[in-house]
Amino acid sequence: MNNSQYEYITTLQYRNKALKARVDAFENGSVYKKMEADYTSLLHTEESRIHKLEVALSKAHAQTVDVRNIWWEVLEDVFREHEKENAAYEARIKQLEQRILEVERQRDTALDDKKELRLKLYEALTELEEEKGKNMHLKAQLNRDYENSSKPSSQSVNHKKITNNREKTGRKPGGQPGHKGHGRKKQELTQPVIYLPAPQDVLDDPCFKKTGRIIKKQVIGIHLCMEVREYWADVYYNSQTGEHRHAEFPGGINDDVNYDGTVKAFLYLLNNNSNVSIDNAKDFLSNLTQGRLNISKGMVSNLNKQFSEATEEQRKKWFVDLQRCPVLNTDFTNARCDGRNMEVAIVASPDGLTQYYGREQKGHKGVAGTPVENYQGILVHDHDTTYYSYGSDHQECSTHMLRYLKDAMENEPDRTWAGKMRTLLQEAIHYSNSLGDDDPDAVKVDDFEKRYCKIIEEARNEYLDVPPSKYYPEGYNLFKRMEKYMHNHLLFLHDKRVPHNNNLSERQARKVKRKIKQVMTYRSFQSLEYFCDGLGVLVSLREQDPSNIYTNVSEIFDRKYRWSD
């Protein structure tokens, strides 16, 4: 017997033994008991699991019912909310429909208005064309002078100066030996001639004979003579009507005691021309009359108003004349009124007309109501950008520019552009002053402009290399300003009528400054306006007739002065 057979037999024996044991277990019933116990245990387990599942199913069913109820409630709430939203939308739709109807109505109205506006625009454009034609006509009048019209040279602003063709002799200035000279002007005699007797020793000496030549010397003095005129008028009574009548007194005689134009002009000129205070002016007149004339301060203060009212019509004419001038100088100066800072606008022309206007502030509100507001010529002014909204062209004061350039030279010594620009402006001013009657040389003017642009380019490079200091931006601002307003700094080279500075306005401004320094502050703005009205008339009258200013002012107060055209 080999090994494989032995292993096979052994395996069968083990299997037989195992099957026998299982048969014995079935025969004695132990297997059945175990199976029954396992079944009972399994049944109990399944019943427990089924019970749990039934409990869970019951809970799930209850939850399903609760969820269904909740969902019904939610659906009902959503439905109610939806109904509310639908109602709101319907109301909104109705409102929008009404608005659409209103908008359509407004659109129709707007279309009708647009049609009317088009008609008005057409009318406005037509009027504008007419105004342009009027402006063209006015400009033609402004440019007329004795060379292109019948206007005499004496009335032309730009009449030529007489050229000085005399050659230098090298002699000292003043009277030359042998020249008769110009002595003091002799006056017409108001008293009989006083003959001086010859010295006694001359009369006693028969050798002295009369030559027939008389030496005449005058002594001139002044004295104040008070003239008092009194008007009488008989009073008549009507016994039937009870009416009282008398002859009409001359105009201006209203009070028991009245002062004529000579007294008013004396006090007015002292106060406004000589800047003497009201107290000192009336005290001076009282001293001159040995105390007989003691005029009240109120009367002296009211002279400004009287003079303003008496010259109103002429100031209106001068206003138009100023607008017709081809060149105007304008400026502002400070004043005080009721403790507040005010401004005085100054408008002056080269032909001697000057007007002052009291204003509460500078800017466009300060320009309003002055000849500058509707001016169409060339304005000369300091660097106030407000003026660039008016006039046809502009010249900035070169004197101010020279000062600003000098300041830049002193505060920015490392930059060279300011010194070069200052030298250029000085040369341009000297060239303009040396022209006389000659017109500017276009080549020379072009050379000045090219040098100007070159210096501006150098300034730009200097500020690119070394930026300006935040503590001194004035130099850089001056460079930008001169770059932008080059034409307005060199306009005087193109037009001989244009001065290179604004000294005319600044000289007239000193008259206001001196008065403000004396008066300190005006009590009302109207008082400042009265002063400005009168000062403009005084300055203009002095330019027209400087020797008779007192007489002219007296006649103005008496309404006897005849204004020149």
Side-chain angles (χ1 to χ4, degrees):
M1 181 180 300
N2 53 22
N3 289 334
S4 60
Q5 292 178 348
Y6 176 77
E7 291 177 356
Y8 177 74
I9 294 171
T10 302
T11 300
L12 292 174
Q13 288 177 354
Y14 279 116
R15 294 180 61 184
N16 185 28
K17 186 177 179 180
L19 291 172
K20 186 178 179 179
R22 292 180 63 184
V23 170
D24 291 339
F26 277 105
E27 289 179 353
N28 57 24
S30 59
V31 174
Y32 295 108
K33 291 180 181 180
K34 184 177 181 303
M35 292 175 61
E36 184 179 5
D38 292 339
Y39 172 76
T40 302
S41 176
L42 180 62
L43 180 62
H44 179 71
T45 300
E46 291 297 325
E47 288 178 350
S48 176
R49 187 175 66 81
I50 291 170
H51 178 70
K52 289 180 180 180
L53 291 174
E54 289 177 348
V55 172
L57 179 62
S58 177
K59 289 182 179 181
H61 181 70
Q63 288 179 356
T64 302
V65 174
D66 292 340
V67 169
R68 184 176 65 247
N69 293 335
I70 292 172
W71 270 110
W72 278 113
E73 292 177 358
V74 170
L75 289 175
E76 290 177 356
D77 293 340
V78 171
F79 181 74
R80 286 192 296 268
E81 187 69 25
H82 179 66
E83 288 182 341
K84 289 181 180 179
E85 290 181 356
N86 285 341
Y89 286 140
E90 290 177 357
R92 180 62 176 169
I93 289 172
K94 291 181 180 180
Q95 183 181 4
L96 291 175
E97 288 176 351
Q98 293 177 356
R99 289 185 62 181
I100 290 172
L101 294 175
E102 179 65 21
V103 169
E104 289 178 349
R105 186 186 65 78
Q106 292 178 358
R107 182 199 61 185
D108 295 338
T109 304
L111 291 175
D112 295 338
D113 294 340
K114 182 180 179 181
K115 184 178 180 180
E116 294 179 1
L117 290 175
R118 283 180 178 176
L119 294 176
K120 291 181 179 179
L121 177 60
Y122 176 76
E123 295 175 356
L125 291 175
T126 303
E127 293 178 359
L128 179 60
E129 290 298 326
E130 293 178 358
E131 292 299 325
K132 286 182 178 180
K134 293 178 181 178
N135 287 338
M136 184 180 298
H137 178 67
L138 291 174
K139 286 182 179 180
Q141 289 181 340
L142 289 173
N143 293 327
R144 284 177 186 157
D145 54 24
Y146 69 97
E147 292 182 340
N148 57 15
S149 69
S150 60
K151 193 173 183 179
S153 61
S154 60
Q155 296 181 7
S156 298
V157 178
N158 59 339
H159 62 273
K160 297 180 180 179
K161 298 179 181 179
I162 299 176
T163 305
N164 184 2
N165 294 322
R166 292 179 297 178
E167 297 180 0
K168 293 184 178 181
T169 61
R171 293 179 293 185
K172 293 182 179 180
Q176 301 299 320
H179 187 264
K180 184 178 180 180
H182 301 282
R184 298 173 182 175
K185 182 180 179 181
K186 289 189 176 183
Q187 304 295 326
E188 184 179 352
L189 295 182
T190 60
Q191 295 182 6
V193 175
I194 302 174
Y195 283 94
L196 299 178
Q200 188 62 39
D201 59 337
V202 172
L203 295 176
D204 295 340
D205 190 345
C207 295
F208 282 100
K209 305 294 181 181
K210 284 187 177 181
T211 63
R213 187 171 64 91
I214 299 176
I215 299 176
K216 301 177 181 180
K217 295 186 178 182
Q218 291 185 346
V219 177
I220 301 174
I222 61 172
H223 68 279
L224 180 65
C225 178
M226 188 169 66
E227 181 184 72
V228 181
R229 302 184 305 276
E230 190 171 64
Y231 294 86
W232 289 14
D234 291 325
V235 180
Y236 294 86
Y237 173 72
N238 190 322
S239 59
Q240 293 183 355
T241 62
E243 181 183 6
H244 290 81
R245 294 286 299 277
H246 61 78
E248 293 292 335
F249 286 91
I253 302 179
N254 303 315
D255 302 321
D256 293 338
V257 177
N258 302 272
Y259 303 104
D260 69 358
T262 59
V263 177
K264 294 179 179 179
F266 181 83
L267 294 171
Y268 180 78
L269 290 173
L270 275 179
N271 182 235
N272 294 282
N273 186 62
S274 302
N275 298 325
V276 178
S277 67
I278 293 178
D279 287 333
N280 290 338
K282 72 183 191 65
D283 290 344
F284 183 55
L285 181 60
S286 177
N287 293 332
L288 288 177
T289 59
Q290 299 178 354
R292 286 185 292 174
L293 283 183
N294 290 312
I295 298 178
S296 66
K297 293 177 62 175
M299 185 267 181
V300 181
S301 178
N302 194 47
L303 292 178
N304 281 338
K305 180 180 179 182
Q306 294 182 28
F307 194 74
S308 174
E309 293 174 349
T311 58
E312 181 178 2
E313 292 300 322
Q314 183 59 30
R315 285 187 284 106
K316 290 181 180 179
K317 294 179 181 178
W318 284 345
F319 186 97
V320 177
D321 292 340
L322 284 172
Q323 289 185 321
R324 291 176 178 173
C325 291
V327 180
L328 278 186
N329 292 65
T330 183
D331 200 357
F332 279 97
T333 188
N334 296 326
R336 295 283 293 176
C337 181
D338 194 23
R340 295 183 297 127
N341 289 326
M342 295 291 175
E343 297 291 335
V344 174
I346 304 166
V347 182
S349 67
D351 58 358
L353 283 182
T354 301
Q355 293 290 284
Y356 300 84
Y357 302 90
R359 293 292 183 264
E360 294 185 357
Q361 63 186 55
K362 297 173 66 174
H364 295 291
K365 292 184 178 180
V367 172
T370 69
V372 176
E373 184 178 13
N374 297 311
Y375 185 61
Q376 297 297 324
I378 300 174
L379 283 174
V380 182
H381 53 83
D382 302 338
H383 185 67
D384 188 341
T385 55
T386 301
Y387 291 121
Y388 281 97
S389 300
Y390 309 93
S392 61
D393 213 336
H394 304 266
Q395 169 66 46
E396 291 198 19
C397 180
S398 58
T399 302
H400 286 78
M401 299 307 301
L402 294 175
R403 295 173 187 168
Y404 301 150
L405 288 169
K406 183 178 180 182
D407 181 70
M409 292 168 57
E410 294 174 350
N411 291 278
E412 294 180 334
D414 55 328
R415 307 182 194 274
T416 62
W417 79 271
K420 294 180 180 179
M421 183 64 77
R422 192 168 189 269
T423 302
L424 172 64
L425 285 182
Q426 289 174 334
E427 292 180 7
I429 294 171
H430 178 72
Y431 170 73
S432 177
N433 293 337
S434 65
L435 286 175
D437 293 338
D438 298 332
D439 293 327
D441 184 3
V443 177
K444 185 70 174 178
V445 173
D446 183 65
D447 179 63
F448 279 122
E449 291 181 341
K450 289 180 179 178
R451 289 173 57 191
Y452 189 105
C453 295
K454 183 178 179 181
I455 295 173
I456 289 296
E457 188 63 28
E458 291 179 5
R460 181 182 293 106
N461 294 331
E462 287 182 355
Y463 284 113
L464 287 176
D465 296 338
V466 181
S469 171
K470 66 178 182 179
Y471 299 103
Y472 186 77
E474 287 81 1
Y476 180 76
N477 295 338
L478 180 62
F479 146 67
K480 298 298 291 184
R481 167 181 163 184
M482 298 196 74
E483 179 184 26
K484 181 177 180 181
Y485 296 99
M486 169 184 168
H487 170 73
N488 308 111
H489 293 149
L490 301 180
L491 179 61
F492 69 95
L493 292 176
H494 298 271
D495 194 335
K496 293 193 302 181
R497 300 173 300 177
V498 180
H500 65 84
N501 55 40
N502 196 27
N503 289 349
L504 178 59
S505 291
E506 293 176 359
R507 286 196 301 269
Q508 307 299 8
R510 296 191 189 105
K511 297 178 175 60
V512 180
K513 294 180 183 296
R514 285 192 288 265
K515 179 61 180 178
I516 296 300
K517 187 175 182 180
Q518 175 261 313
V519 77
M520 300 302 292
T521 182
Y522 282 94
R523 297 182 64 181
S524 68
F525 182 72
Q526 194 173 39
S527 298
L528 177 61
E529 288 184 318
Y530 289 148
F531 163 72
C532 291
D533 293 343
L535 182 60
V537 175
L538 290 179
V539 173
S540 301
L541 286 177
R542 184 175 289 106
E543 291 292 333
Q544 295 177 359
D545 191 3
S547 62
N548 292 323
I549 185 69
Y550 173 73
T551 303
N552 294 340
V553 173
S554 300
E555 293 177 351
I556 289 174
F557 276 113
D558 287 333
R559 302 297 198 277
K560 297 180 181 179
Y561 184 74
R562 298 186 63 182
W563 300 96
S564 60
D565 294 334

PDB file of all heavy atoms in Angstrom, residues 93 278 318 322:
ATOM      1  N   ILE A  93     -48.903  99.072 -11.743  1.00  0.00           N
ATOM      2  CA  ILE A  93     -49.138  99.145 -13.188  1.00  0.00           C
ATOM      3  C   ILE A  93     -50.116 100.259 -13.514  1.00  0.00           C
ATOM      4  O   ILE A  93     -49.917 101.031 -14.466  1.00  0.00           O
ATOM      5  CB  ILE A  93     -49.651  97.780 -13.703  1.00  0.00           C
ATOM      6  CG1 ILE A  93     -48.514  96.746 -13.661  1.00  0.00           C
ATOM      7  CG2 ILE A  93     -50.197  97.905 -15.120  1.00  0.00           C
ATOM      8  CD1 ILE A  93     -48.959  95.329 -13.952  1.00  0.00           C
ATOM      9  N   ILE A 278     -13.061 167.700   7.641  1.00  0.00           N
ATOM     10  CA  ILE A 278     -14.207 168.605   7.656  1.00  0.00           C
ATOM     11  C   ILE A 278     -14.047 169.662   8.750  1.00  0.00           C
ATOM     12  O   ILE A 278     -14.310 170.855   8.538  1.00  0.00           O
ATOM     13  CB  ILE A 278     -15.510 167.805   7.853  1.00  0.00           C
ATOM     14  CG1 ILE A 278     -15.765 166.919   6.631  1.00  0.00           C
ATOM     15  CG2 ILE A 278     -16.688 168.731   8.089  1.00  0.00           C
ATOM     16  CD1 ILE A 278     -17.004 166.057   6.744  1.00  0.00           C
ATOM     17  N   TRP A 318     -19.414 160.857 -20.005  1.00  0.00           N
ATOM     18  CA  TRP A 318     -18.027 160.401 -19.905  1.00  0.00           C
ATOM     19  C   TRP A 318     -17.950 158.876 -19.864  1.00  0.00           C
ATOM     20  O   TRP A 318     -16.978 158.285 -20.323  1.00  0.00           O
ATOM     21  CB  TRP A 318     -17.375 161.006 -18.674  1.00  0.00           C
ATOM     22  CG  TRP A 318     -17.009 162.450 -18.854  1.00  0.00           C
ATOM     23  CD1 TRP A 318     -16.948 163.130 -20.037  1.00  0.00           C
ATOM     24  CD2 TRP A 318     -16.645 163.378 -17.846  1.00  0.00           C
ATOM     25  NE1 TRP A 318     -16.570 164.433 -19.813  1.00  0.00           N
ATOM     26  CE2 TRP A 318     -16.371 164.621 -18.478  1.00  0.00           C
ATOM     27  CE3 TRP A 318     -16.520 163.306 -16.462  1.00  0.00           C
ATOM     28  CZ2 TRP A 318     -15.988 165.750 -17.771  1.00  0.00           C
ATOM     29  CZ3 TRP A 318     -16.139 164.430 -15.753  1.00  0.00           C
ATOM     30  CH2 TRP A 318     -15.874 165.648 -16.405  1.00  0.00           C
ATOM     31  N   LEU A 322     -15.563 156.829 -22.315  1.00  0.00           N
ATOM     32  CA  LEU A 322     -14.566 155.852 -21.871  1.00  0.00           C
ATOM     33  C   LEU A 322     -14.703 154.543 -22.633  1.00  0.00           C
ATOM     34  O   LEU A 322     -13.707 153.903 -22.989  1.00  0.00           O
ATOM     35  CB  LEU A 322     -14.705 155.608 -20.369  1.00  0.00           C
ATOM     36  CG  LEU A 322     -14.158 156.687 -19.440  1.00  0.00           C
ATOM     37  CD1 LEU A 322     -14.547 156.407 -17.997  1.00  0.00           C
ATOM     38  CD2 LEU A 322     -12.648 156.795 -19.552  1.00  0.00           C
TER      39      LEU A 322
END
